[in-house]
Amino acid sequence: DQQVKQNSPSLSVQEGRISILNCDYTNSMFDYFLWYKKYPAEGPTFLISISSIKDKNEDGRFTVFLNKSAKHLSLHIVPSQPGDSAVYFCAASWGITGGGNKLTFGTGTQLKVEL
Amino acid sequence: EAGVTQSPTHLIKTRGQQVTLRCSPISGHTSVYWYQQALGLGLQFLLWYDEGEERNRGNFPPRFSGRQFPNYSSELNVNALELEDSALYLCASSLFVEAFFGQGTRLTVV
């Protein structure tokens, strides 16, 4: 029962172009969403998050969009840089007072930014 | 400010043995989470500790257990190791929702 899905296991983008990573979820109780980046043999690094009361959040080159009706979120990276090459995980939470503060992760998308 | 630290970084154990992994959270964080990332798979939630108590547990057998100490550090214990327990074990801490991860412990069961 995969409640958070990242259907694209890999994505290849040219340097300077936009990277769009997608994530779908099934549990309508999720109210907070996060993106993490992970390099091999390291722990995930928090990138950006969005609450369900918003539909967009920006932080520098990273923008997360949330479409609650479609239960879909996406991470846009503009412009993409070679250092962005990593595995990106989408995660969801339904908050502290609900089912707990644990994060449910997707299976990840390997982004490769080529020169 | 020190991040989440885990020890050891690598470990090799024999099937049937027991192992203890350790985690120190970011100072001021009261919640500690444990996740397993098996080869080629995503992060699977194992355990959540907050204020010294187990708050939530993932879909793992009882031989996976842990505890949180008064200083909020945590241990993950795995008994009767099986080959499929070979994975990267990640600890994370948080104050609110965003969790910050350590480097992980790579466990290999042979």
Side-chain angles (χ1 to χ4, degrees), chain A residues 16-100:
Chain A
R17 307 293 288 265
I18 184 171
S19 295
I20 300 177
L21 297 107
N22 294 303
C23 178
D24 298 294
Y25 61 95
T26 57
N27 190 338
S28 56
M29 291 189 66
F30 287 140
D31 59 6
Y32 203 83
F33 304 89
L34 307 90
W35 284 94
Y36 285 82
K37 178 170 78 171
K38 186 180 183 300
Y39 295 115
E42 293 185 11
T45 303
F46 170 71
L47 270 177
I48 191 169
S49 61
I50 187 167
S51 164
S52 59
I53 62 172
K54 293 186 173 183
D55 53 21
K56 178 181 173 182
N57 189 27
E58 276 184 270
D59 184 1
R61 296 186 298 115
F62 302 93
T63 303
V64 56
F65 294 92
L66 175 62
N67 182 336
K68 281 177 294 189
S69 60
K71 294 191 177 69
H72 177 84
L73 65 155
S74 61
L75 174 68
H76 292 211
I77 306 173
V78 183
S80 300
Q81 299 173 353
D84 296 330
S85 297
V87 177
Y88 288 78
F89 289 98
C90 166
S93 167
W94 67 86
I96 297 171
T97 59

Coordinates of all heavy atoms in Angstrom, one line a residue, chain A residues 16-100:
Chain A
G16 N 20.9 23.9 -16.9 CA 20.3 25.2 -17.3 C 18.8 25.1 -17.5 O 18.1 26.1 -17.5
R17 N 18.3 23.9 -17.8 CA 16.9 23.7 -18.1 C 16.1 23.4 -16.8 O 16.7 23.3 -15.7 CB 16.7 22.5 -19.1 CG 17.5 22.6 -20.3 CD 17.1 23.8 -21.2 NE 15.8 23.5 -21.9 CZ 15.7 23.0 -23.1 NH1 16.7 22.7 -23.8 NH2 14.5 22.9 -23.6
I18 N 14.8 23.3 -16.9 CA 14.0 23.1 -15.8 C 13.9 21.6 -15.5 O 13.7 20.8 -16.4 CB 12.6 23.7 -16.0 CG1 11.7 23.5 -14.7 CG2 11.9 23.1 -17.2 CD1 10.4 24.2 -14.8
S19 N 14.0 21.2 -14.2 CA 13.7 19.8 -13.8 C 12.4 19.8 -13.1 O 12.1 20.6 -12.2 CB 14.8 19.3 -12.8 OG 16.0 19.2 -13.5
I20 N 11.5 18.9 -13.5 CA 10.2 18.8 -12.8 C 10.1 17.3 -12.3 O 10.1 16.4 -13.1 CB 9.0 19.1 -13.8 CG1 9.2 20.5 -14.3 CG2 7.7 18.9 -13.1 CD1 8.1 20.9 -15.4
L21 N 10.0 17.2 -11.0 CA 9.8 15.9 -10.3 C 8.4 15.9 -9.8 O 7.9 16.8 -9.2 CB 10.8 15.8 -9.2 CG 12.3 15.8 -9.7 CD1 13.0 17.0 -9.4 CD2 13.0 14.6 -9.2
N22 N 7.8 14.7 -10.0 CA 6.3 14.6 -9.7 C 6.1 13.6 -8.5 O 6.9 12.6 -8.4 CB 5.5 14.1 -10.9 CG 5.5 15.2 -12.0 OD1 5.1 16.4 -11.7 ND2 6.0 14.9 -13.1
C23 N 5.0 13.8 -7.8 CA 4.7 12.9 -6.7 C 3.2 12.9 -6.6 O 2.5 13.9 -6.7 CB 5.3 13.5 -5.5 SG 5.0 12.6 -3.9
D24 N 2.6 11.7 -6.4 CA 1.2 11.6 -6.1 C 0.9 10.9 -4.8 O 1.8 10.1 -4.3 CB 0.6 10.7 -7.2 CG 0.7 11.3 -8.6 OD1 0.1 12.4 -8.8 OD2 1.4 10.8 -9.5
Y25 N -0.2 11.2 -4.2 CA -0.5 10.6 -2.9 C -1.9 10.2 -2.9 O -2.8 10.7 -3.6 CB -0.2 11.6 -1.7 CG -0.9 12.9 -1.7 CD1 -2.1 13.0 -1.0 CD2 -0.5 14.0 -2.4 CE1 -2.8 14.2 -0.9 CE2 -1.2 15.2 -2.4 CZ -2.3 15.3 -1.7 OH -3.0 16.5 -1.6
T26 N -2.2 9.2 -2.0 CA -3.6 8.7 -2.0 C -4.3 9.0 -0.7 O -5.5 9.0 -0.7 CB -3.6 7.2 -2.1 OG1 -2.7 6.6 -1.1 CG2 -3.0 6.8 -3.5
N27 N -3.6 9.3 0.4 CA -4.2 9.6 1.7 C -4.6 11.0 1.8 O -3.8 11.9 1.9 CB -3.2 9.2 2.8 CG -3.9 9.2 4.2 OD1 -4.9 9.8 4.4 ND2 -3.3 8.5 5.1
S28 N -5.9 11.3 1.8 CA -6.4 12.7 1.9 C -6.1 13.3 3.2 O -6.4 14.5 3.4 CB -7.9 12.7 1.5 OG -8.6 11.9 2.4
M29 N -5.7 12.6 4.2 CA -5.4 13.2 5.5 C -4.0 13.8 5.5 O -3.7 14.6 6.4 CB -5.5 12.1 6.6 CG -6.9 11.6 6.8 SD -7.0 10.5 8.3 CE -6.6 11.7 9.6
F30 N -3.2 13.6 4.5 CA -1.9 14.2 4.5 C -2.1 15.7 4.4 O -2.9 16.2 3.6 CB -1.1 13.8 3.3 CG -0.5 12.4 3.4 CD1 -0.5 11.5 2.3 CD2 0.0 11.9 4.6 CE1 0.0 10.2 2.4 CE2 0.5 10.6 4.7 CZ 0.5 9.8 3.6
D31 N -1.4 16.5 5.2 CA -1.6 17.9 5.2 C -0.2 18.7 5.2 O -0.2 19.9 5.3 CB -2.4 18.4 6.4 CG -1.8 18.1 7.7 OD1 -0.6 17.6 7.7 OD2 -2.4 18.3 8.8
Y32 N 0.8 18.0 5.0 CA 2.1 18.7 4.9 C 3.0 17.8 4.1 O 3.1 16.6 4.2 CB 2.7 18.8 6.3 CG 3.7 19.9 6.5 CD1 3.3 21.2 6.7 CD2 5.1 19.6 6.4 CE1 4.2 22.2 6.8 CE2 6.0 20.7 6.5 CZ 5.6 22.0 6.7 OH 6.5 23.0 6.8
F33 N 3.7 18.4 3.1 CA 4.5 17.7 2.2 C 5.9 18.3 2.1 O 6.1 19.5 2.2 CB 3.8 17.8 0.8 CG 2.4 17.3 0.8 CD1 1.4 18.2 1.1 CD2 2.1 16.0 0.6 CE1 0.1 17.8 1.1 CE2 0.8 15.5 0.6 CZ -0.2 16.4 0.9
L34 N 6.9 17.4 1.9 CA 8.3 17.8 1.9 C 9.0 17.1 0.8 O 8.6 16.0 0.3 CB 8.9 17.3 3.2 CG 8.2 17.7 4.5 CD1 7.2 16.7 5.0 CD2 9.3 18.0 5.6
W35 N 10.1 17.7 0.4 CA 11.0 17.1 -0.6 C 12.4 17.1 0.0 O 12.9 18.0 0.7 CB 11.1 18.0 -1.9 CG 9.9 17.8 -2.8 CD1 8.8 18.6 -2.8 CD2 9.7 16.8 -3.8 NE1 8.0 18.2 -3.8 CE2 8.5 17.1 -4.4 CE3 10.5 15.8 -4.2 CZ2 8.0 16.3 -5.4 CZ3 10.0 15.0 -5.3 CH2 8.8 15.3 -5.9
Y36 N 13.0 15.9 -0.2 CA 14.4 15.7 0.3 C 15.2 15.3 -0.9 O 14.8 14.7 -1.9 CB 14.4 14.5 1.3 CG 13.9 14.9 2.7 CD1 12.5 14.9 2.9 CD2 14.7 15.2 3.7 CE1 12.0 15.2 4.2 CE2 14.2 15.6 5.0 CZ 12.9 15.6 5.2 OH 12.4 15.9 6.4
K37 N 16.5 15.6 -0.8 CA 17.5 15.2 -1.8 C 18.5 14.3 -1.1 O 18.9 14.5 0.1 CB 18.3 16.5 -2.3 CG 19.4 16.2 -3.3 CD 19.9 17.5 -3.9 CE 20.8 18.2 -3.0 NZ 21.4 19.4 -3.8
K38 N 18.9 13.2 -1.8 CA 19.8 12.3 -1.2 C 20.9 11.9 -2.2 O 20.7 11.5 -3.3 CB 19.0 11.0 -0.8 CG 19.9 10.0 0.0 CD 19.1 8.8 0.4 CE 20.0 7.9 1.3 NZ 21.2 7.4 0.6
Y39 N 22.2 12.1 -1.7 CA 23.3 11.6 -2.4 C 23.7 10.2 -1.9 O 23.3 9.8 -0.8 CB 24.5 12.5 -2.2 CG 24.4 13.9 -2.7 CD1 24.3 15.0 -1.9 CD2 24.3 14.1 -4.1 CE1 24.2 16.3 -2.4 CE2 24.1 15.4 -4.6 CZ 24.1 16.5 -3.8 OH 23.9 17.7 -4.3
P40 N 24.3 9.4 -2.7 CA 24.7 8.0 -2.3 C 25.5 8.0 -1.0 O 26.3 8.9 -0.7 CB 25.6 7.5 -3.4 CG 25.2 8.3 -4.6 CD 24.8 9.7 -4.1
A41 N 25.2 7.1 -0.1 CA 25.9 6.9 1.2 C 25.7 8.0 2.1 O 26.5 8.2 3.0 CB 27.3 6.5 0.9
E42 N 24.7 8.9 1.9 CA 24.5 10.0 2.8 C 23.0 10.0 3.2 O 22.2 9.4 2.5 CB 24.8 11.4 2.2 CG 26.2 11.6 1.9 CD 26.5 13.0 1.4 OE1 25.6 13.9 1.4 OE2 27.6 13.3 0.9
G43 N 22.7 10.6 4.3 CA 21.3 10.8 4.7 C 20.6 11.8 3.8 O 21.2 12.7 3.2
P44 N 19.3 11.7 3.7 CA 18.5 12.7 3.0 C 18.7 14.1 3.5 O 18.8 14.3 4.8 CB 17.1 12.2 3.1 CG 17.2 10.8 3.4 CD 18.4 10.7 4.3
T45 N 18.7 15.1 2.7 CA 18.8 16.5 3.1 C 17.4 17.2 2.8 O 16.9 17.1 1.6 CB 19.9 17.2 2.3 OG1 21.1 16.5 2.6 CG2 20.0 18.6 2.8
F46 N 16.9 17.9 3.8 CA 15.6 18.6 3.6 C 15.8 19.7 2.6 O 16.8 20.5 2.7 CB 15.1 19.1 4.9 CG 14.0 20.1 4.8 CD1 12.7 19.6 4.4 CD2 14.1 21.4 5.0 CE1 11.6 20.5 4.3 CE2 13.1 22.3 4.9 CZ 11.8 21.8 4.5
L47 N 14.9 19.8 1.6 CA 14.9 20.8 0.6 C 13.9 21.9 0.8 O 14.2 23.1 0.9 CB 14.7 20.2 -0.8 CG 15.9 19.7 -1.6 CD1 15.4 19.1 -2.9 CD2 16.9 20.8 -1.9
I48 N 12.6 21.5 0.8 CA 11.5 22.5 0.8 C 10.3 21.7 1.2 O 10.1 20.5 1.0 CB 11.4 23.1 -0.6 CG1 10.4 24.3 -0.6 CG2 10.9 22.1 -1.7 CD1 10.4 25.1 -1.9
S49 N 9.3 22.5 1.8 CA 8.1 21.9 2.2 C 6.9 22.8 1.8 O 7.1 24.0 1.5 CB 8.1 21.6 3.7 OG 8.3 22.9 4.4
I50 N 5.7 22.2 2.0 CA 4.5 23.0 1.7 C 3.4 22.5 2.5 O 3.2 21.3 2.7 CB 4.1 23.0 0.2 CG1 3.0 23.9 -0.1 CG2 3.8 21.6 -0.3 CD1 2.8 24.2 -1.6
S51 N 2.6 23.4 3.1 CA 1.4 23.0 3.9 C 0.2 22.9 2.9 O 0.2 23.6 1.9 CB 1.2 24.1 4.9 OG -0.1 24.0 5.4
S52 N -0.7 22.1 3.3 CA -1.9 21.9 2.5 C -2.8 23.2 2.3 O -3.7 23.2 1.5 CB -2.8 20.8 3.0 OG -3.2 21.1 4.3
I53 N -2.5 24.2 3.1 CA -3.3 25.5 2.9 C -2.7 26.3 1.8 O -3.2 27.4 1.5 CB -3.3 26.3 4.2 CG1 -1.9 26.7 4.7 CG2 -4.0 25.4 5.3 CD1 -2.0 27.7 5.9
K54 N -1.6 25.9 1.3 CA -0.9 26.7 0.2 C -0.9 25.8 -1.1 O -1.1 24.6 -1.0 CB 0.5 27.0 0.6 CG 0.7 28.0 1.7 CD 2.2 28.4 1.8 CE 2.3 29.5 2.9 NZ 3.8 29.9 3.0
D55 N -0.7 26.5 -2.2 CA -0.6 25.7 -3.4 C 0.8 25.9 -4.1 O 1.1 25.3 -5.1 CB -1.7 26.1 -4.4 CG -1.8 27.5 -4.7 OD1 -0.8 28.3 -4.5 OD2 -2.9 28.0 -5.2
K56 N 1.6 26.8 -3.5 CA 3.0 27.0 -4.0 C 3.9 27.5 -2.9 O 3.5 28.3 -2.0 CB 2.8 28.1 -5.1 CG 4.2 28.5 -5.8 CD 3.9 29.6 -6.8 CE 5.2 30.1 -7.4 NZ 5.0 31.2 -8.4
N57 N 5.1 27.0 -3.0 CA 6.1 27.6 -2.1 C 7.5 27.6 -2.8 O 7.8 26.7 -3.5 CB 6.2 26.7 -0.8 CG 7.1 27.3 0.2 OD1 7.3 28.5 0.3 ND2 7.7 26.5 1.1
E58 N 8.1 28.8 -2.7 CA 9.4 28.9 -3.4 C 10.6 29.1 -2.5 O 10.4 29.8 -1.4 CB 9.3 30.2 -4.3 CG 8.7 30.1 -5.6 CD 8.7 31.4 -6.4 OE1 7.8 32.2 -6.2 OE2 9.7 31.6 -7.1
D59 N 11.7 28.6 -2.9 CA 12.9 28.9 -2.1 C 14.1 28.8 -3.1 O 14.6 27.8 -3.4 CB 13.1 27.8 -1.0 CG 14.3 28.1 -0.1 OD1 15.0 29.1 -0.4 OD2 14.6 27.3 0.8
G60 N 14.5 30.0 -3.5 CA 15.6 30.1 -4.5 C 15.2 29.4 -5.8 O 14.2 29.7 -6.4
R61 N 16.0 28.4 -6.2 CA 15.8 27.7 -7.5 C 14.7 26.7 -7.4 O 14.3 26.0 -8.4 CB 17.1 27.1 -7.9 CG 18.2 28.0 -8.3 CD 19.4 27.3 -8.9 NE 20.0 26.3 -8.0 CZ 20.0 25.0 -8.2 NH1 19.5 24.5 -9.3 NH2 20.6 24.2 -7.3
F62 N 14.2 26.4 -6.2 CA 13.3 25.3 -5.9 C 11.9 25.9 -5.6 O 11.7 26.8 -4.8 CB 13.7 24.5 -4.7 CG 15.1 23.9 -4.9 CD1 16.2 24.5 -4.4 CD2 15.3 22.7 -5.5 CE1 17.5 24.0 -4.6 CE2 16.5 22.1 -5.7 CZ 17.6 22.8 -5.2
T63 N 10.9 25.3 -6.4 CA 9.5 25.6 -6.1 C 8.7 24.4 -6.1 O 8.9 23.5 -6.9 CB 9.0 26.5 -7.3 OG1 9.8 27.7 -7.4 CG2 7.5 26.9 -7.0
V64 N 7.8 24.3 -5.0 CA 7.0 23.1 -4.9 C 5.5 23.6 -5.2 O 5.1 24.6 -4.7 CB 7.1 22.4 -3.5 CG1 6.9 23.4 -2.4 CG2 6.2 21.2 -3.4
F65 N 4.8 22.8 -6.0 CA 3.4 23.1 -6.3 C 2.6 22.0 -5.7 O 2.9 20.8 -5.9 CB 3.2 23.2 -7.8 CG 3.9 24.3 -8.5 CD1 5.2 24.2 -9.0 CD2 3.3 25.6 -8.6 CE1 5.9 25.2 -9.6 CE2 4.0 26.6 -9.2 CZ 5.2 26.5 -9.7
L66 N 1.4 22.3 -5.2 CA 0.5 21.4 -4.6 C -0.9 21.5 -5.2 O -1.4 22.6 -5.2 CB 0.4 21.5 -3.1 CG -0.6 20.6 -2.4 CD1 -0.2 19.1 -2.5 CD2 -0.7 21.0 -0.9
N67 N -1.4 20.4 -5.8 CA -2.7 20.4 -6.3 C -3.5 19.4 -5.5 O -3.4 18.2 -5.7 CB -2.7 19.9 -7.8 CG -4.0 19.9 -8.4 OD1 -5.1 19.8 -7.8 ND2 -4.1 20.1 -9.8
K68 N -4.2 19.9 -4.5 CA -4.9 19.0 -3.6 C -6.0 18.2 -4.2 O -6.3 17.0 -3.9 CB -5.5 19.8 -2.4 CG -4.5 20.2 -1.4 CD -5.1 21.0 -0.3 CE -5.5 22.4 -0.9 NZ -5.9 23.3 0.2
S69 N -6.7 18.8 -5.2 CA -7.8 18.1 -5.8 C -7.3 16.9 -6.6 O -8.0 15.8 -6.6 CB -8.6 19.0 -6.7 OG -7.8 19.5 -7.7
A70 N -6.1 17.0 -7.2 CA -5.5 15.9 -7.9 C -4.6 15.0 -7.0 O -4.1 14.0 -7.5 CB -4.7 16.4 -9.1
K71 N -4.4 15.4 -5.8 CA -3.5 14.7 -4.9 C -2.1 14.6 -5.5 O -1.6 13.5 -5.6 CB -4.1 13.4 -4.4 CG -5.3 13.5 -3.6 CD -5.6 12.1 -2.9 CE -6.8 12.2 -2.0 NZ -8.1 12.4 -2.8
H72 N -1.6 15.7 -6.0 CA -0.4 15.7 -6.8 C 0.5 16.9 -6.3 O 0.0 18.0 -6.1 CB -0.7 15.8 -8.2 CG 0.5 15.9 -9.1 ND1 1.2 14.8 -9.6 CD2 1.1 17.0 -9.6 CE1 2.2 15.2 -10.3 NE2 2.2 16.6 -10.4
L73 N 1.8 16.6 -6.2 CA 2.7 17.7 -6.0 C 3.9 17.6 -6.9 O 4.2 16.5 -7.4 CB 3.1 17.9 -4.6 CG 3.9 16.8 -3.8 CD1 4.7 17.5 -2.7 CD2 3.0 15.8 -3.3
S74 N 4.5 18.7 -7.2 CA 5.7 18.7 -8.0 C 6.8 19.6 -7.5 O 6.5 20.6 -6.8 CB 5.3 19.0 -9.5 OG 4.8 20.3 -9.5
L75 N 8.0 19.2 -7.8 CA 9.1 20.1 -7.5 C 9.8 20.5 -8.8 O 10.1 19.7 -9.6 CB 10.1 19.2 -6.6 CG 11.5 19.9 -6.3 CD1 11.2 21.1 -5.3 CD2 12.5 19.0 -5.8
H76 N 9.9 21.9 -8.9 CA 10.6 22.5 -10.0 C 11.9 23.0 -9.6 O 12.0 23.7 -8.6 CB 9.7 23.6 -10.6 CG 8.4 23.1 -11.2 ND1 7.8 23.8 -12.3 CD2 7.6 22.1 -10.9 CE1 6.7 23.2 -12.6 NE2 6.6 22.1 -11.8
I77 N 12.9 22.7 -10.4 CA 14.3 23.2 -10.1 C 14.7 24.0 -11.4 O 14.8 23.4 -12.5 CB 15.3 22.1 -9.9 CG1 14.8 21.1 -8.8 CG2 16.6 22.6 -9.5 CD1 15.6 19.9 -8.6
V78 N 14.9 25.3 -11.2 CA 15.2 26.2 -12.3 C 16.3 27.2 -11.9 O 16.1 27.9 -10.9 CB 14.0 26.9 -12.8 CG1 14.4 27.8 -14.0 CG2 12.9 26.0 -13.2
P79 N 17.4 27.3 -12.6 CA 17.9 26.4 -13.6 C 18.6 25.1 -13.0 O 19.1 25.2 -11.9 CB 18.9 27.2 -14.3 CG 19.5 28.1 -13.3 CD 18.4 28.4 -12.3
S80 N 18.5 24.0 -13.6 CA 19.1 22.8 -13.1 C 20.7 22.9 -13.2 O 21.2 23.5 -14.2 CB 18.6 21.6 -13.9 OG 17.2 21.5 -13.8
Q81 N 21.3 22.4 -12.2 CA 22.8 22.4 -12.2 C 23.3 21.0 -12.0 O 22.6 20.1 -11.4 CB 23.3 23.3 -11.0 CG 22.8 24.7 -11.1 CD 23.2 25.5 -9.9 OE1 23.7 25.0 -8.9 NE2 23.0 26.9 -10.0
P82 N 24.5 20.7 -12.4 CA 25.1 19.3 -12.3 C 25.0 18.9 -10.8 O 24.8 17.7 -10.5 CB 26.5 19.5 -12.8 CG 26.4 20.6 -13.8 CD 25.4 21.6 -13.2
G83 N 25.2 19.8 -9.9 CA 25.2 19.4 -8.4 C 23.9 19.0 -7.9 O 23.7 18.5 -6.8
D84 N 22.8 19.2 -8.8 CA 21.5 18.8 -8.4 C 21.3 17.3 -8.6 O 20.3 16.7 -8.2 CB 20.4 19.6 -9.2 CG 20.4 21.0 -8.9 OD1 20.8 21.4 -7.7 OD2 20.1 21.8 -9.8
S85 N 22.2 16.7 -9.3 CA 22.1 15.2 -9.6 C 22.1 14.4 -8.3 O 23.1 14.5 -7.5 CB 23.2 14.8 -10.5 OG 23.2 15.4 -11.7
A86 N 21.0 13.8 -8.0 CA 20.8 13.1 -6.7 C 19.4 12.3 -6.8 O 18.7 12.5 -7.8 CB 20.7 14.0 -5.6
V87 N 19.1 11.6 -5.8 CA 17.8 11.0 -5.7 C 16.9 12.0 -4.9 O 17.3 12.5 -3.8 CB 17.8 9.6 -5.0 CG1 16.4 9.1 -4.9 CG2 18.7 8.7 -5.8
Y88 N 15.7 12.3 -5.4 CA 14.8 13.2 -4.8 C 13.6 12.4 -4.2 O 13.0 11.6 -4.9 CB 14.3 14.2 -5.7 CG 15.4 15.2 -6.0 CD1 16.4 14.9 -6.9 CD2 15.4 16.5 -5.4 CE1 17.4 15.8 -7.2 CE2 16.4 17.4 -5.7 CZ 17.4 17.0 -6.5 OH 18.5 17.9 -6.8
F89 N 13.3 12.6 -2.9 CA 12.2 11.9 -2.3 C 11.1 12.9 -1.9 O 11.4 13.9 -1.4 CB 12.7 11.2 -1.0 CG 13.6 10.0 -1.2 CD1 14.9 10.1 -1.1 CD2 13.0 8.7 -1.5 CE1 15.7 9.0 -1.3 CE2 13.8 7.6 -1.7 CZ 15.2 7.7 -1.6
C90 N 9.9 12.5 -2.2 CA 8.8 13.2 -1.8 C 8.3 12.6 -0.5 O 8.4 11.3 -0.3 CB 7.7 13.1 -2.9 SG 6.1 13.6 -2.5
A91 N 7.8 13.4 0.5 CA 7.4 12.8 1.7 C 6.1 13.6 2.2 O 5.9 14.7 1.8 CB 8.4 12.9 2.8
A92 N 5.3 12.9 2.9 CA 4.0 13.5 3.4 C 3.8 13.1 4.8 O 4.2 12.1 5.3 CB 2.9 13.0 2.5
S93 N 3.1 14.1 5.5 CA 2.8 13.9 6.9 C 1.3 14.4 7.2 O 0.8 15.2 6.4 CB 3.7 14.7 7.8 OG 3.3 14.8 9.1
W94 N 0.7 13.8 8.2 CA -0.6 14.3 8.5 C -0.6 15.0 9.9 O -1.5 15.1 10.6 CB -1.8 13.4 8.4 CG -1.8 12.2 9.3 CD1 -2.3 12.1 10.5 CD2 -1.3 10.9 9.0 NE1 -2.2 10.8 11.0 CE2 -1.6 10.1 10.1 CE3 -0.7 10.3 7.9 CZ2 -1.2 8.7 10.1 CZ3 -0.3 9.0 7.9 CH2 -0.6 8.2 9.0
G95 N 0.6 15.4 10.3 CA 0.7 16.3 11.4 C 0.8 15.6 12.7 O 0.6 14.4 12.9
I96 N 1.1 16.4 13.7 CA 1.5 15.9 15.0 C 0.3 15.3 15.7 O 0.3 14.3 16.4 CB 2.1 17.0 15.9 CG1 3.4 17.5 15.2 CG2 2.3 16.6 17.3 CD1 4.0 18.8 15.8
T97 N -0.9 15.9 15.6 CA -2.0 15.5 16.4 C -2.8 14.4 15.7 O -3.8 13.9 16.3 CB -3.0 16.7 16.7 OG1 -3.4 17.2 15.4 CG2 -2.3 17.8 17.5
G98 N -2.5 14.1 14.4 CA -3.3 13.1 13.7 C -2.7 11.8 13.9 O -2.5 11.3 15.0
G99 N -2.3 11.2 12.8 CA -1.7 9.8 12.9 C -0.3 9.8 13.3 O 0.4 8.8 13.2
G100 N 0.2 10.9 13.7 CA 1.6 10.9 14.1 C 2.4 11.8 13.2 O 2.0 12.1 12.1

